[in-house]
Amino acid sequence: MNQVKSSRSLRKALAGNLGDPRAQVLAAECPSRIVLGHITSRWGVLVLVVLLDGTHRFSQLRREIGGVSEKMLAQTLDALATDGLVLRVAQQVVPPHVEYSLTPLGRQAAERLEMLVDWIEDNFPLIQQAQDAAALAAA
């Protein structure tokens, strides 16, 4: 943790001295917050992690991601494609279909998110115990 903090401090110092255009997610006006929202939204995380398995068609994604509406999936894919994380390829076949895959940038993000998803799944019993204890305390 100390090394991470030092690294961040060094990056900030360098950015100030060199005019580095690095995004500042903690700054209220920084447009990188919009990208953060796309990536870390419930559907964004799930889309990126599913696409780690390879190219999927829209209907395949919808089947694999339980509970996502067609509208939300379309909006999520559009946002992730606009951010350069997902590649959308329309196949010129009859009937036409669209395939989605990760860009190299999207793969980097998805691999990091997969670690978080795995951590949540592995630790969910402990999380659920904490939630149950909090609910009992509030009652």
Side-chain angles (χ1 to χ4, degrees):
M1 183 83 130
N2 214 4
Q3 184 179 7
V4 171
K5 190 172 185 176
S6 303
S7 177
R8 284 190 188 138
S9 298
L10 179 60
R11 285 198 317 255
K12 284 183 181 180
L14 289 172
N17 292 336
L18 302 176
D20 186 3
R22 182 182 303 266
Q24 299 293 323
V25 174
L26 296 178
E29 314 79 33
C30 187
S32 64
R33 281 197 178 181
I34 295 168
V35 177
L36 179 67
H38 295 161
I39 292 172
T40 61
S41 71
R42 173 183 8 180
W43 307 121
V45 168
L46 298 176
V47 165
L48 290 169
V49 170
V50 167
L51 287 176
L52 274 171
D53 291 335
T55 301
H56 285 65
R57 289 174 60 177
F58 186 90
S59 57
Q60 291 173 303
L61 284 168
R62 188 148 184 245
R63 277 193 302 274
E64 285 198 45
I65 302 171
V68 67
S69 70
E70 194 170 309
K71 178 182 175 181
M72 284 308 303
L73 182 56
Q75 287 177 351
T76 300
L77 287 164
D78 184 51
L80 294 172
T82 299
D83 294 337
L85 304 173
V86 170
L87 179 64
R88 180 186 188 277
V89 176
Q91 300 294 330
Q92 300 301 320
V93 295
V94 178
H97 66 266
V98 179
E99 295 180 338
Y100 297 92
S101 60
L102 293 174
T103 65
L105 195 60
R107 178 160 294 283
Q108 289 177 23
E111 287 168 349
R112 287 159 173 80
L113 290 170
E114 184 180 39
M115 289 189 295
L116 176 61
V117 169
D118 289 346
W119 180 88
I120 291 169
E121 289 178 344
D122 292 345
N123 290 284
F124 190 71
L126 295 172
I127 296 166
Q128 196 164 32
Q129 286 176 1
Q131 290 173 340
D132 293 345
L136 281 176

